[in-house]
Amino acid sequence: MTYRIITLGALFTTAFMACAQSRTYHIETDSPEQSIMHFGASDGWSMQKIGLWSEAQQNQIADWLFSTENDVNGQPKGIGLSVWRFNLGAGSAEQGDSAQIQPSTRTECFLQPDGTYNWDKQLGQRRFLQLAKKRGVPHFLAFMNSAPVYYTKNGLATNTGRGATINLKDNCYPDVARFAATVMAGLEKHDGIHFDYLCPVNEPDGHWNWIGPKQEGSPATNREVAQLVRAISKEFKKRRISTHIMFNESSDIRSLLGIHQTEWQRGNQIRSFFSKDSTGTYLGKTYGTENVIMAHSYWTNTPVSYMRKIREELRDTLRRYGARYWQTELCIMGNDEEIGGGGLYDPSMRTALYVARVIHHDMVYGNAESWSWWRSIGGDYKDGLIRVLSSDEWKTGKAIDSKLLWALGNYSRFVRPGARRYDMRVTDNEGKTIKDGETEPYGVMTSAYQNADGSWVVVAINYSEALRPLTLSLPAGEGLWTMYRTSDVTGESLKPVGQTMGQTNLEPKSITTFVMK
């Protein structure tokens, strides 16, 4: 058990700090920003195994990820994810070792070699679709890392160094469109799951797997992305599939804005897809698409000043072209040196706070409408919200939650689909506005939201090792805020820690969500 020991001297220090550093955080209700669609994670590689575990284990994991219920003490049972990303497989699992892909990242495919469909595939993943739906998850997104292996140029779901163009036969774009439409309709018919979104191209600009096999994936030029989106759009319109076609899940924000570790054909994606002058790639009025571009927040989170700068550039560019942004994937990578890189799983607040700071910057400076972590469950690496302990390739095992899971919940559990983010202004104890006071990257970071039901939510991150005073102010007047805190203190994982009229102290190394009904 963890205890906080406060000495008399510490009390004097705390009182002095509260006086010297008193700040008021004003919610600027006349300054609305982006609407919030959802927060999520994926079933990537994990649920094909976890979805075959015992029912009790599955239900515990599903509660952690999806539940919006509280226990008898008002403690949230889970983080209430509002979008679930489903990895639509390409068929590397059926190929076995000839897939040239490591076993843990192979996926099954509904499509069979003879052109028929087998609706007994991807059962573990589909089990978690049901568990998510049962717990009220309102949105589902399917993503494809590769076209089915029957349609690829090399007969594989991985690129094997064949170049930077799409691994898809020139005459098979309509075939992939029919596959996508058939699976969207089939999963709704067989499982009762309606997919709100389909993204047929994942990380087309990435350089990580274009040389050697590792996992399912394919590069693609912007023209090839546009050609595939148009083919799917035509098929969806013909078959009256209402799933929105999303694009294009860039591996790096920098590829949205310019040319980064690639060539011109795969860079400048915002301009390519949303400028009417880009006649070969413009998708702005394509049937079934949204004015949204998707990307992953990998590699752009350090140094901290750059993390903000690149997101402000992203926001301004999106506004120029009338487009919106979803951040759909993140885990810890090698350049995240502040927390030791991606190796070795970390259940503590060290990683949780680091990721919360990224969420804050994506929401406040990138104006992200949606934010998702990479995969829901991982092993001995910082890529899962939940860690699995297993010695038999995940056929059995034990799942352990983490502070990272609950830190995401400080957002996802309380900021619900249809919310609106509002700017915040910070003043000192003399009433003077503190420039950028809502974002102290190693201190306090705050963001404010109003849900569709009228409730207000403020998420406050205290990255520092000191107690930090905070006063919340709404123009409409004072109200009663309920507080939920995540910290390294035993039991503090979205724990309800009382109510306040707006004045409180933020505990060191903690994330506190304030909710006013």
Side-chain angles (χ1 to χ4, degrees), residues 14 75 79 93 145 153 187 218 221 226-227 230 238 316 389 393 434 460 467 514:
T14 300
Q75 173 89 33
I79 67 171
N145 289 322
K153 288 183 177 179
L187 288 174
S218 171
T221 67
Q227 184 177 349
R230 289 171 183 147
K238 173 184 173 182
D316 295 343
L389 300 176
E393 296 184 351
I434 301 170
L467 202 69
F514 299 80

Side-chain angles (χ1 to χ4, degrees), residues 330-351:
L330 176 68
C331 72
I332 303 304
M333 306 298 269
N335 73 326
D336 296 308
E337 296 176 357
E338 185 178 327
I339 55 171
L344 298 178
Y345 190 77
D346 174 23
S348 76
M349 287 299 292
R350 188 183 186 200
T351 295

Side-chain angles (χ1 to χ4, degrees), residues 25-29 456 472-479 481 516:
Y25 293 76
H26 306 265
I27 301 173
E28 303 283 78
T29 56
W456 284 96
L472 293 176
S473 174
L474 264 172
E478 292 183 342
W481 298 88
M516 182 191 291

